[in-house]
Amino acid sequence: MNDYAEQAQLFKALAHPVRLQILDILRRGAECVCHMEAVLKKRQAYISQQLMTLRDAGLVDSRKDGLNVFYFLVDPDALLPLLEIALGPLEDASRHQLRECVCPHCEAVVVAQN
Amino acid sequence: MNDYAEQAQLFKALAHPVRLQILDILRRGAECVCHMEAVLKKRQAYISQQLMTLRDAGLVDSRKDGLNVFYFLVDPDALLPLLEIALGPLEDASRHQLRECVCPHCEAVVVAQN
DNA sequence: ATACTATATTCAATATTAGGAATATGGAAT
DNA sequence: ATTCCATATTCCTAATATTGAATATAGTAT
């Protein structure tokens, strides 16, 4: 596979609004699937599919943590500049600062910790 | 169309090896279709199709100059940084310095000028 | 063991894209 | 006006992608 084909594959993975939004979440740090479910307001199976596409493209990977599976960028150094161009710079105000999910399922956990 | 969808459209246009190669040519300056024909070694109709896709995506535009149609980047300032990340920096050695085509059809013209 | 929960996979209908062959267009030259 | 040439478009089929519905899995808690 030559360079152009390789890059085309990368862009193909990026060429989807939901996947872009997932990457926009993940560039702020690792997040579990249920979090994305809450943010994207899409069914879990659908998100899982898009995550699989991103994983197949080598952009993200996952690790299991208790009940949840956390996804993260495989190579932030390579991807973040591209995402900055595509999605604009990261603004502090827009960051999800919680390491835990803020989705309905996970929120209880956070609250319980305070 | 929200921001993610818009960006996804852009990436979709980039998600093709031939189109990337065309953009790699055009980031060095405007070129005629016959030039791309010579560089890409693809049939003219096929190149024309890919150019149409790029034009529809708003990435390139064309101007007629005599018999030839020259294509160029619509917004180099926006696109060049993205292409640098995708295709690497522009090297002087790799530039097509001729304003005329170097394809078989055009080479004669260049030679005649010397 | 059972039941629940988070996530993953499979399947199927539909939509889109790739890329070739044939043909059209429109300007220039004669 | 006709021919020629560069480029554009249309049409078609195979391959691939999208997305929803249903179902599977695997780990946890009881």
Side-chain angles (χ1 to χ4, degrees):
Chain A
M1 185 145 69
N2 66 45
D3 212 44
Y4 294 116
E6 219 166 299
Q7 280 303 125
Q9 280 302 115
L10 166 63
F11 284 130
K12 192 178 278 191
L14 296 174
H16 190 289
V18 169
R19 292 197 291 272
L20 276 182
Q21 199 173 357
I22 288 174
L23 292 173
D24 196 15
I25 291 169
L26 294 183
R27 69 172 171 159
R28 298 170 162 85
E31 293 287 2
C32 68
V33 179
C34 72
H35 181 88
M36 304 180 208
E37 210 177 335
V39 175
L40 305 183
K41 295 188 174 59
K42 303 275 184 188
R43 285 179 311 106
Q44 172 271 320
Y46 178 56
I47 292 168
S48 204
Q49 283 173 355
Q50 302 302 344
L51 285 170
M52 180 170 41
T53 299
L54 290 172
R55 188 154 20 84
D56 289 350
L59 297 185
V60 308
D61 203 353
S62 60
R63 91 182 98 79
K64 192 141 207 197
D65 183 5
L67 271 184
N68 300 310
V69 174
F70 281 75
Y71 277 81
F72 53 90
L73 301 184
V74 166
D75 187 356
D77 289 346
L79 203 49
L80 286 180
L82 200 53
L83 292 177
E84 289 228 342
I85 290 179
L87 306 173
L90 267 178
E91 295 160 32
D92 276 355
S94 69
R95 298 179 79 169
H96 309 263
Q97 305 232 345
L98 300 169
R99 303 233 317 274
E100 300 78 10
C101 300
V102 293
C103 65
H105 302 124
C106 310
E107 208 163 18
V109 180
V110 176
V111 171
Q113 287 179 337
N114 297 341
Chain B
M1 183 144 70
N2 66 46
D3 212 44
Y4 295 116
E6 219 166 301
Q7 280 304 124
Q9 280 302 114
L10 166 63
F11 284 130
K12 191 178 277 190
L14 295 174
H16 190 289
V18 169
R19 291 198 290 272
L20 277 182
Q21 198 172 357
I22 288 174
L23 292 173
D24 196 14
I25 292 169
L26 293 184
R27 70 173 171 158
R28 297 171 163 85
E31 292 287 3
C32 69
V33 178
C34 71
H35 182 88
M36 304 181 208
E37 208 177 335
V39 174
L40 304 183
K41 295 188 174 58
K42 302 276 183 186
R43 285 179 311 107
Q44 172 271 320
Y46 179 54
I47 293 169
S48 204
Q49 282 173 358
Q50 303 303 342
L51 285 170
M52 180 170 41
T53 300
L54 290 172
R55 189 153 20 85
D56 289 349
L59 297 185
V60 308
D61 203 351
S62 60
R63 91 181 97 79
K64 191 139 205 198
D65 183 6
L67 271 185
N68 300 309
V69 175
F70 280 76
Y71 277 82
F72 53 90
L73 302 184
V74 166
D75 187 356
D77 289 348
L79 202 49
L80 287 179
L82 199 55
L83 292 177
E84 288 229 340
I85 290 179
L87 306 173
L90 266 179
E91 295 160 31
D92 274 355
S94 69
R95 299 177 80 170
H96 308 263
Q97 305 231 346
L98 301 170
R99 304 233 316 274
E100 301 78 11
C101 302
V102 294
C103 66
H105 301 126
C106 309
E107 208 163 18
V109 180
V110 176
V111 172
Q113 287 178 337
N114 297 341

PDB file of all heavy atoms in Angstrom, chain B residues 72-84:
ATOM      1  N   PHE B  72      -6.605  24.439  -9.650  1.00  0.00           N
ATOM      2  CA  PHE B  72      -5.823  25.006  -8.550  1.00  0.00           C
ATOM      3  C   PHE B  72      -6.616  24.898  -7.253  1.00  0.00           C
ATOM      4  O   PHE B  72      -7.846  24.712  -7.283  1.00  0.00           O
ATOM      5  CB  PHE B  72      -5.484  26.478  -8.834  1.00  0.00           C
ATOM      6  CG  PHE B  72      -6.693  27.307  -9.165  1.00  0.00           C
ATOM      7  CD1 PHE B  72      -7.414  27.957  -8.167  1.00  0.00           C
ATOM      8  CD2 PHE B  72      -7.145  27.413 -10.490  1.00  0.00           C
ATOM      9  CE1 PHE B  72      -8.529  28.717  -8.474  1.00  0.00           C
ATOM     10  CE2 PHE B  72      -8.275  28.160 -10.804  1.00  0.00           C
ATOM     11  CZ  PHE B  72      -8.964  28.819  -9.799  1.00  0.00           C
ATOM     12  N   LEU B  73      -5.934  25.004  -6.146  1.00  0.00           N
ATOM     13  CA  LEU B  73      -6.588  24.944  -4.838  1.00  0.00           C
ATOM     14  C   LEU B  73      -7.378  26.221  -4.597  1.00  0.00           C
ATOM     15  O   LEU B  73      -6.870  27.314  -4.812  1.00  0.00           O
ATOM     16  CB  LEU B  73      -5.548  24.779  -3.724  1.00  0.00           C
ATOM     17  CG  LEU B  73      -4.639  23.554  -3.816  1.00  0.00           C
ATOM     18  CD1 LEU B  73      -3.729  23.492  -2.591  1.00  0.00           C
ATOM     19  CD2 LEU B  73      -5.460  22.275  -3.938  1.00  0.00           C
ATOM     20  N   VAL B  74      -8.601  26.069  -4.133  1.00  0.00           N
ATOM     21  CA  VAL B  74      -9.450  27.228  -3.876  1.00  0.00           C
ATOM     22  C   VAL B  74      -8.932  28.026  -2.691  1.00  0.00           C
ATOM     23  O   VAL B  74      -8.855  29.245  -2.722  1.00  0.00           O
ATOM     24  CB  VAL B  74     -10.907  26.790  -3.611  1.00  0.00           C
ATOM     25  CG1 VAL B  74     -11.706  27.930  -3.004  1.00  0.00           C
ATOM     26  CG2 VAL B  74     -11.557  26.325  -4.911  1.00  0.00           C
ATOM     27  N   ASP B  75      -8.554  27.328  -1.629  1.00  0.00           N
ATOM     28  CA  ASP B  75      -8.151  27.997  -0.390  1.00  0.00           C
ATOM     29  C   ASP B  75      -6.872  27.361   0.158  1.00  0.00           C
ATOM     30  O   ASP B  75      -6.904  26.601   1.124  1.00  0.00           O
ATOM     31  CB  ASP B  75      -9.291  27.877   0.633  1.00  0.00           C
ATOM     32  CG  ASP B  75      -9.006  28.691   1.884  1.00  0.00           C
ATOM     33  OD1 ASP B  75      -7.908  29.277   1.984  1.00  0.00           O
ATOM     34  OD2 ASP B  75      -9.880  28.735   2.769  1.00  0.00           O
ATOM     35  N   PRO B  76      -5.749  27.695  -0.471  1.00  0.00           N
ATOM     36  CA  PRO B  76      -4.481  27.066  -0.088  1.00  0.00           C
ATOM     37  C   PRO B  76      -4.166  27.262   1.387  1.00  0.00           C
ATOM     38  O   PRO B  76      -3.690  26.328   2.050  1.00  0.00           O
ATOM     39  CB  PRO B  76      -3.448  27.794  -0.957  1.00  0.00           C
ATOM     40  CG  PRO B  76      -4.216  28.399  -2.071  1.00  0.00           C
ATOM     41  CD  PRO B  76      -5.576  28.716  -1.518  1.00  0.00           C
ATOM     42  N   ASP B  77      -4.465  28.439   1.932  1.00  0.00           N
ATOM     43  CA  ASP B  77      -4.144  28.700   3.332  1.00  0.00           C
ATOM     44  C   ASP B  77      -4.807  27.691   4.256  1.00  0.00           C
ATOM     45  O   ASP B  77      -4.222  27.256   5.250  1.00  0.00           O
ATOM     46  CB  ASP B  77      -4.591  30.117   3.724  1.00  0.00           C
ATOM     47  CG  ASP B  77      -3.712  31.175   3.067  1.00  0.00           C
ATOM     48  OD1 ASP B  77      -2.649  30.787   2.523  1.00  0.00           O
ATOM     49  OD2 ASP B  77      -4.099  32.341   3.072  1.00  0.00           O
ATOM     50  N   ALA B  78      -6.031  27.309   3.913  1.00  0.00           N
ATOM     51  CA  ALA B  78      -6.745  26.361   4.755  1.00  0.00           C
ATOM     52  C   ALA B  78      -6.277  24.934   4.501  1.00  0.00           C
ATOM     53  O   ALA B  78      -6.181  24.130   5.434  1.00  0.00           O
ATOM     54  CB  ALA B  78      -8.249  26.469   4.517  1.00  0.00           C
ATOM     55  N   LEU B  79      -5.998  24.639   3.245  1.00  0.00           N
ATOM     56  CA  LEU B  79      -5.758  23.248   2.880  1.00  0.00           C
ATOM     57  C   LEU B  79      -4.301  22.819   3.044  1.00  0.00           C
ATOM     58  O   LEU B  79      -4.025  21.668   3.411  1.00  0.00           O
ATOM     59  CB  LEU B  79      -6.202  23.020   1.435  1.00  0.00           C
ATOM     60  CG  LEU B  79      -6.529  21.577   1.048  1.00  0.00           C
ATOM     61  CD1 LEU B  79      -7.469  20.940   2.052  1.00  0.00           C
ATOM     62  CD2 LEU B  79      -7.100  21.520  -0.343  1.00  0.00           C
ATOM     63  N   LEU B  80      -3.371  23.720   2.811  1.00  0.00           N
ATOM     64  CA  LEU B  80      -1.958  23.322   2.828  1.00  0.00           C
ATOM     65  C   LEU B  80      -1.519  22.713   4.158  1.00  0.00           C
ATOM     66  O   LEU B  80      -0.814  21.697   4.158  1.00  0.00           O
ATOM     67  CB  LEU B  80      -1.068  24.502   2.431  1.00  0.00           C
ATOM     68  CG  LEU B  80      -1.125  24.845   0.937  1.00  0.00           C
ATOM     69  CD1 LEU B  80      -0.237  26.046   0.612  1.00  0.00           C
ATOM     70  CD2 LEU B  80      -0.724  23.644   0.075  1.00  0.00           C
ATOM     71  N   PRO B  81      -1.921  23.288   5.289  1.00  0.00           N
ATOM     72  CA  PRO B  81      -1.502  22.662   6.563  1.00  0.00           C
ATOM     73  C   PRO B  81      -2.005  21.229   6.690  1.00  0.00           C
ATOM     74  O   PRO B  81      -1.282  20.358   7.162  1.00  0.00           O
ATOM     75  CB  PRO B  81      -2.169  23.557   7.615  1.00  0.00           C
ATOM     76  CG  PRO B  81      -2.400  24.858   6.945  1.00  0.00           C
ATOM     77  CD  PRO B  81      -2.685  24.530   5.521  1.00  0.00           C
ATOM     78  N   LEU B  82      -3.226  21.005   6.246  1.00  0.00           N
ATOM     79  CA  LEU B  82      -3.782  19.655   6.293  1.00  0.00           C
ATOM     80  C   LEU B  82      -2.987  18.723   5.384  1.00  0.00           C
ATOM     81  O   LEU B  82      -2.651  17.587   5.759  1.00  0.00           O
ATOM     82  CB  LEU B  82      -5.245  19.722   5.850  1.00  0.00           C
ATOM     83  CG  LEU B  82      -6.155  18.557   6.216  1.00  0.00           C
ATOM     84  CD1 LEU B  82      -6.123  18.306   7.702  1.00  0.00           C
ATOM     85  CD2 LEU B  82      -7.567  18.849   5.757  1.00  0.00           C
ATOM     86  N   LEU B  83      -2.659  19.203   4.198  1.00  0.00           N
ATOM     87  CA  LEU B  83      -1.906  18.376   3.256  1.00  0.00           C
ATOM     88  C   LEU B  83      -0.490  18.119   3.764  1.00  0.00           C
ATOM     89  O   LEU B  83       0.080  17.061   3.502  1.00  0.00           O
ATOM     90  CB  LEU B  83      -1.861  19.050   1.880  1.00  0.00           C
ATOM     91  CG  LEU B  83      -3.208  19.115   1.153  1.00  0.00           C
ATOM     92  CD1 LEU B  83      -3.078  19.862  -0.163  1.00  0.00           C
ATOM     93  CD2 LEU B  83      -3.761  17.716   0.922  1.00  0.00           C
ATOM     94  N   GLU B  84       0.051  19.075   4.487  1.00  0.00           N
ATOM     95  CA  GLU B  84       1.396  18.864   5.047  1.00  0.00           C
ATOM     96  C   GLU B  84       1.378  17.720   6.050  1.00  0.00           C
ATOM     97  O   GLU B  84       2.292  16.900   6.095  1.00  0.00           O
ATOM     98  CB  GLU B  84       1.899  20.138   5.747  1.00  0.00           C
ATOM     99  CG  GLU B  84       2.250  21.228   4.779  1.00  0.00           C
ATOM    100  CD  GLU B  84       3.626  21.832   5.046  1.00  0.00           C
ATOM    101  OE1 GLU B  84       4.132  21.673   6.174  1.00  0.00           O
ATOM    102  OE2 GLU B  84       4.170  22.448   4.124  1.00  0.00           O
TER     103      GLU B  84
END
